[in-house]
Amino acid sequence: MNERLEYWVKIPVGPIHPALEEPEKFIITLDGERIINVDVKLGYNLRGIEWIAMRRNWIQVLYLVERICGICSFSHNHTYSRAVEEMAGIEVPERAEYIRAIFGELERVHSHLLNLGVAGHAIGYDTVLHLTWLARERVMDILEAMGGNRVNYAINMIGGVRRDLEEKHRRMLLDMVKYYREEVMPKIEEIFLYDPTIEARLRDAGVIPKRIAIEYSAQGPTARGSGVKKDVRYNEKLGVYPDLGVKPITPKEFTGVIKGDVFDRMVVRVGELWQSLDIIEHALDQMPEGKIKAFAKDNMVIFKLKKAEGEGIGRYEAPRGELLHYVRAEKGRDGPAKWKAREPTFPNLFAVARALVGEQVADIPVAIASIDPCLSCTDRVAIVDAETGKKKILTEEDLLRESYKKTKEINPKLKIKPERIGVGCMRGGVL
Amino acid sequence: MNLLYATLSLILAYFYVSIASLLWEGIDRKLVARMQRRVGPPLLQPFYDFLKLASKESIIPRNAGKLFELAPVFVLAVSIALLAYTPFGFTPLFSTKGDVIVFIYLLTLIGFIRVLGAINSGSPYAQIGAQREMVILVSREVPMMLGLFAILWRLSKLGVSKPFSMATFYEHNIWEIGTPLSFIGTTILLLVFLAWLASEIEVGYFNIPEAEEEIAEGPMAEYSGRHLALFKLSNSLKEFISASLVVAIFFPWGIGSVLGLTGVAALIVDVIFHTLKVFAVLFISMSVFRAITGRLRITQAAQAFWLRTLPAAILGALLLAIDILEVIA
């Protein structure tokens, strides 16, 4: 084994690489085309969102969490609302829950269509990318018409939703469901279930066995593609979802086998597109009349939450997997004392890194795309001296010191003292 | 034909093919864009790209060797040399006995020099791209050469002045034998050649060495500015030249003599007709193929060549051979 070592090559995939949508880094050890080891490096996307959140009030955080990620903008703010509602014991009107469900499924449709296109692009099948993204325009238009924006529709409010669903929206939604059922989905199924190129490239690539999926706690389509029946909407009987007939989709219903490869993950997404369309229809049928908010005005929310105390956890099945938000409130404080979000990408990323070992270089982009990665955490910067190759890791304190130095430079009159807030990241030391 | 005249015609051919092949790039991009329901870039975009790249600074990596800078020049030089042996609807400019072998040699040399340049760039992505290019190179040439030589051998039996030369195709063409076996054999070989053409210009299934999403354009990863411009131009030339070979073998008919033209007028008409045929072949092997397929893994591509295309080429060659023995009438 040791004498082979000299033929191994380490190549970086990332932080900036055509295969990746967001900055992340995989250091890949190669033996020819075969992957020996995958090392995941995170931390190129730090924006200090948690730090900012603890300086905002409860309502402002809603809009902040929406901007964690462009695709899951509804999921984050829904989960955060759930966490706060659980913490303060706020009852959400039933109509609001149905509207949330409809928006959640619309978001799932556009997120899955996006990911199916990205998977096509990762294997150089650009026609799939362009056509799925063209089909995605319809749902984006609907979201714009209903929420006012294509991406950040800001529909949630603590204790309800901000906009009601009108009759014209209902008609638009039914039209959209019909369009997707009749025109888009047959084509999508033909591509992702029967196309020879897709089958050749996606079958048996990046296999995550069921055991690994459970051990690494994979989430969402990544887990369901490996045969783990895991869907928070179903397992936790979340909100009104049990009435809407949610059940975890596994590839078994479509292809009859569960292999846990990239193909299966894509099949799960195709199945969930069908399910989302069903859920939207059911929700429109079953939606009761009534209030859409627990509180008439936003300042009443703040007033109520200022008195609240304790902690709450919100869970929701985002398009990429289970999303979890934790909040802790203190009396007299109008914002969260602690807020933490756990994205499903984090466990999925390590599961897929494990799955890549033994595969080929060609499988890297498509395997990474198959978990639909969405990155936003960690707090370190490494400075590498190009001349000597020496690394220096800047911690939060160093960064603060540097920032203050720069601020002093720009504005020497400013009187500030370096002050470190929070405990920083416990992980790391090694980069 | 004196030397001055030959040189002038080579320069003329170079300018003509450069413009025609870059124009084809533009047409191809537009056509594929329409297939993907996009608007696509302007028709002349490849010209703008070329001019812009040619005017930009070229960044040389610190670890790059001398061949890194020389490779684009060599590739273009080889492409131009190839033009002397490329059939443009009539016998090539420097036609000699056995010029088909020179043609294949020069065509392979382009890939080889690209590999040399990539290895000298010092980039790990380029290294992987170079490895892939070599694998594809050795896999694709075998079925192509088998098919080509089978056809040439069959044609030489009809009696030609210079066997194993490009001129053969314009004296007799393979379809005029007319027996059912030769017809089936030729059709199989045509498919082999279309697959070879797709892998030669690296599109669709065979866009493996330059896989953009995997290894960031592979051998081209470190090239920029003028060097990249030279590569782009020679790639376009290569597309046209490889398609010209397929056209010359399977669709050599000219319309100059049909229209009753002679001299320079017939030449011009034949060249334009040849260009249209090249575009038609490229449309099938490049635009459509690119739009309806994705990229294979390198192992799958090598398997496709050794297990599918090579047996097909052997079958086609055998059919042609059986045909000439007249065992089955």
Side-chain angles (χ1 to χ4, degrees):
Chain A
M1 205 65 184
N2 270 341
E3 64 267 23
R4 288 196 62 130
L5 200 70
E6 56 190 309
Y7 298 112
W8 292 1
V9 185
K10 269 188 183 176
I11 66 158
V13 174
I16 307 297
H17 189 274
L20 308 169
E21 277 85 43
E22 283 172 278
E24 65 195 298
K25 190 175 180 184
F26 296 86
I27 296 173
I28 290 169
T29 315
L30 285 177
D31 176 15
E33 283 264 332
R34 199 163 57 90
I35 299 166
I36 302 289
N37 187 28
V38 180
D39 198 358
V40 185
K41 303 284 185 212
L42 293 170
Y44 295 93
N45 214 352
L46 171 81
R47 289 160 295 165
I49 287 220
E50 281 176 38
W51 188 87
I52 300 168
M54 282 178 265
R55 275 144 197 82
R56 298 279 188 278
N57 73 27
W58 294 103
I59 305 274
Q60 286 168 332
V61 176
L62 263 178
Y63 303 101
L64 180 73
V65 293
E66 195 166 28
R67 280 154 183 81
I68 289 180
C69 158
I71 306 292
C72 311
S73 57
F74 170 83
S75 301
H76 275 291
N77 113 4
H78 181 192
T79 318
Y80 169 76
S81 311
R82 275 191 182 282
V84 176
E85 282 151 14
E86 190 196 277
M87 182 267 296
I90 299 168
E91 279 280 318
V92 183
E94 208 181 341
R95 188 177 171 83
E97 286 279 19
Y98 274 102
I99 293 174
R100 281 181 181 180
I102 289 171
F103 267 90
E105 296 316 309
L106 286 176
E107 186 189 77
R108 197 180 309 277
V109 169
H110 95 67
S111 173
H112 281 356
L113 282 175
L114 176 131
N115 182 248
L116 292 173
V118 168
H121 179 63
I123 60 167
Y125 202 163
D126 282 348
T127 312
V128 174
L129 171 84
H130 292 296
L131 296 185
T132 50
W133 285 35
L134 182 74
R136 179 171 169 261
E137 281 304 301
R138 183 72 178 257
V139 67
M140 299 301 276
D141 288 348
I142 298 274
L143 282 169
E144 189 178 3
M146 285 166 61
N149 255 330
R150 277 164 65 91
V151 175
N152 293 327
Y153 8 91
I155 204 72
N156 280 294
M157 172 48 62
I158 293 162
V161 290
R162 284 176 58 241
R163 286 158 195 263
D164 202 356
L165 215 66
E166 291 160 24
E167 186 52 37
K168 63 174 183 189
H169 295 146
R170 195 189 155 85
R171 275 201 310 276
M172 278 161 64
L173 277 173
L174 288 174
D175 271 359
M176 184 206 83
V177 170
K178 192 158 170 266
Y179 165 75
Y180 277 113
R181 280 235 177 94
E182 285 169 10
E183 291 181 32
V184 176
M185 290 308 293
K187 288 178 196 159
I188 296 266
E189 280 206 333
E190 200 182 320
I191 294 170
F192 282 93
L193 297 179
Y194 306 112
D195 190 282
T197 313
I198 294 275
E199 180 143 359
R201 281 305 308 277
L202 266 49
R203 258 291 173 228
D204 300 317
V207 180
I208 302 178
K210 192 171 180 179
R211 187 178 59 83
I212 300 287
I214 293 170
E215 271 176 18
Y216 281 65
S217 181
Q219 304 290 340
T222 312
R224 291 195 284 275
S226 303
V228 185
K229 289 204 170 187
K230 185 149 118 181
D231 189 324
V232 186
R233 293 172 300 167
Y234 172 81
N235 296 4
E236 300 293 319
K237 301 199 169 36
L238 200 75
V240 292
Y241 282 107
D243 302 341
L244 295 171
V246 174
K247 64 177 176 38
I249 303 268
T250 52
K252 202 161 195 151
E253 294 135 47
F254 288 86
T255 55
V257 284
I258 296 178
K259 290 192 173 176
D261 49 15
V262 178
F263 189 84
D264 277 356
R265 271 164 252 159
M266 291 301 148
V267 169
V268 167
R269 291 203 169 90
V270 174
E272 287 186 9
L273 282 174
W274 281 114
Q275 196 189 36
S276 293
L277 297 177
D278 287 346
I279 292 175
I280 292 170
E281 243 183 16
H282 288 169
L284 284 173
D285 280 347
Q286 299 171 10
M287 197 157 61
E289 292 298 318
K291 287 202 299 181
I292 56 162
K293 286 185 199 180
F295 303 96
K297 287 201 171 144
D298 290 0
N299 51 6
M300 288 163 71
V301 181
I302 300 273
F303 186 70
K304 162 123 183 150
L305 289 173
K306 218 167 178 171
K307 291 188 289 186
E309 202 178 8
E311 45 190 18
I313 288 176
R315 297 173 76 180
Y316 172 65
E317 186 74 18
R320 280 119 195 221
E322 186 194 334
L323 185 62
L324 195 141
H325 276 235
Y326 165 83
V327 290
R328 195 176 72 230
E330 280 165 8
K331 247 196 181 111
R333 204 182 151 126
D334 62 357
K338 175 75 192 160
W339 165 73
K340 168 90 189 149
R342 209 264 349 235
E343 284 88 14
T345 301
F346 190 71
N348 284 350
L349 208 52
F350 292 97
V352 85
R354 165 80 191 259
L356 272 174
V357 174
E359 304 277 350
Q360 293 183 22
V361 182
D363 295 328
I364 298 171
V366 69
I368 292 171
S370 77
I371 63 160
D372 207 354
C374 167
L375 299 151
S376 50
C377 61
T378 293
D379 54 0
R380 256 151 234 275
V381 177
I383 293 181
V384 181
D385 194 331
E387 297 295 326
T388 58
K390 249 185 210 163
K391 269 192 204 168
K392 189 186 175 204
I393 295 171
L394 297 185
T395 59
E396 195 181 344
E397 275 170 285
D398 299 324
L399 285 176
L400 268 175
R401 210 178 302 120
E402 291 295 314
S403 322
Y404 283 121
K405 220 163 83 187
K406 187 74 194 169
T407 316
K408 277 258 165 65
E409 244 176 66
I410 296 166
N411 190 353
K413 274 180 274 177
L414 208 69
K415 285 200 172 62
I416 40 166
K417 239 192 315 182
E419 177 195 10
R420 190 161 165 250
I421 298 145
V423 286
C425 186
M426 305 312 271
R427 209 152 26 85
V430 250
L431 192 109
Chain B
M1 188 194 281
N2 66 40
L3 197 66
L4 185 69
Y5 178 63
T7 317
L8 277 178
S9 15
L10 182 60
I11 292 170
L12 204 67
Y14 168 55
F15 280 111
Y16 175 73
V17 175
S18 303
I19 291 168
S21 59
L22 284 177
L23 184 69
W24 165 254
E25 287 268 290
I27 297 172
D28 167 66
R29 287 173 71 174
K30 200 83 184 167
L31 284 173
V32 173
R34 296 311 298 157
M35 289 178 210
Q36 297 173 341
R37 305 276 188 285
R38 285 187 289 128
V39 177
L43 204 58
L44 296 182
Q45 189 62 44
F47 293 93
Y48 306 147
D49 285 351
F50 177 75
L51 291 176
K52 172 143 191 184
L53 280 173
S55 68
K56 288 193 78 123
E57 174 202 13
S58 201
I59 296 161
I60 312 291
R62 191 179 302 150
N63 297 331
K66 201 69 202 156
L67 267 173
F68 176 80
E69 287 175 70
L70 287 175
V73 183
F74 283 165
V75 165
L76 191 63
V78 173
S79 304
I80 297 169
L82 251 175
L83 287 173
Y85 300 99
T86 310
F88 295 114
F90 45 80
T91 310
L93 299 171
F94 285 54
S95 182
T96 52
K97 194 178 169 186
D99 57 0
V100 169
I101 294 160
V102 179
F103 183 89
I104 296 171
Y105 168 76
L106 288 177
L107 205 56
T108 317
L109 198 60
I110 291 181
F112 185 68
I113 297 171
R114 266 161 60 98
V115 169
L116 280 186
I119 289 175
N120 271 282
S121 73
S123 155
Y125 298 123
Q127 298 275 356
I128 297 172
Q131 288 169 15
R132 290 174 170 200
E133 178 113 31
M134 281 318 281
V135 172
I136 287 279
L137 200 70
V138 295
S139 311
R140 75 172 169 226
E141 297 299 336
V142 179
M144 185 277 272
M145 282 195 217
L146 183 60
L148 182 59
F149 290 142
I151 289 173
L152 282 168
W153 171 74
R154 182 68 189 84
L155 287 179
S156 69
K157 297 286 174 192
L158 297 174
V160 288
S161 53
K162 290 181 200 162
F164 287 84
S165 75
M166 289 290 180
T168 313
F169 300 122
Y170 293 104
E171 287 177 31
H172 292 286
N173 78 64
I174 191 74
W175 304 101
E176 73 186 33
I177 300 166
T179 53
L181 271 184
S182 76
F183 185 78
I184 298 169
T186 313
T187 314
I188 293 174
L189 289 181
L190 174 61
L191 295 176
V192 170
F193 267 86
L194 288 180
W196 166 78
L197 182 60
S199 75
E200 183 72 48
I201 57 189
E202 290 167 6
V203 288
Y205 277 158
F206 308 112
N207 183 14
I208 303 168
E210 284 196 14
E212 183 204 334
E213 292 83 13
E214 292 159 20
I215 48 173
E217 298 279 332
M220 300 290 108
E222 297 294 337
Y223 282 107
S224 55
R226 287 184 296 276
H227 293 99
L228 188 60
L230 292 184
F231 262 124
K232 291 260 182 217
L233 180 63
S234 54
N235 260 2
S236 294
L237 288 175
K238 196 173 95 172
E239 275 163 22
F240 192 94
I241 290 166
S242 337
S244 288
L245 178 68
V246 178
V247 167
I249 298 170
F250 294 99
F251 316 105
W253 312 288
I255 52 165
S257 50
V258 178
L259 294 175
L261 298 168
T262 47
V264 182
L267 275 185
I268 291 171
V269 169
D270 273 348
V271 166
I272 290 170
F273 187 57
H274 175 83
T275 311
L276 292 178
K277 284 186 287 186
V278 164
F279 286 1
V281 166
L282 282 176
F283 174 71
I284 293 168
S285 212
M286 187 174 170
S287 310
V288 175
F289 193 61
R290 184 152 87 92
I292 61 167
T293 55
R295 189 185 304 122
L296 291 177
R297 288 181 207 135
I298 184 73
T299 48
Q300 287 169 333
Q303 268 173 12
F305 276 117
W306 291 107
L307 300 180
R308 305 282 167 83
T309 320
L310 183 61
I314 292 173
L315 182 67
L318 276 179
L319 286 175
L320 288 182
I322 293 169
D323 179 58
I324 202 167
L325 295 175
E326 288 176 356
V327 184
I328 309 159

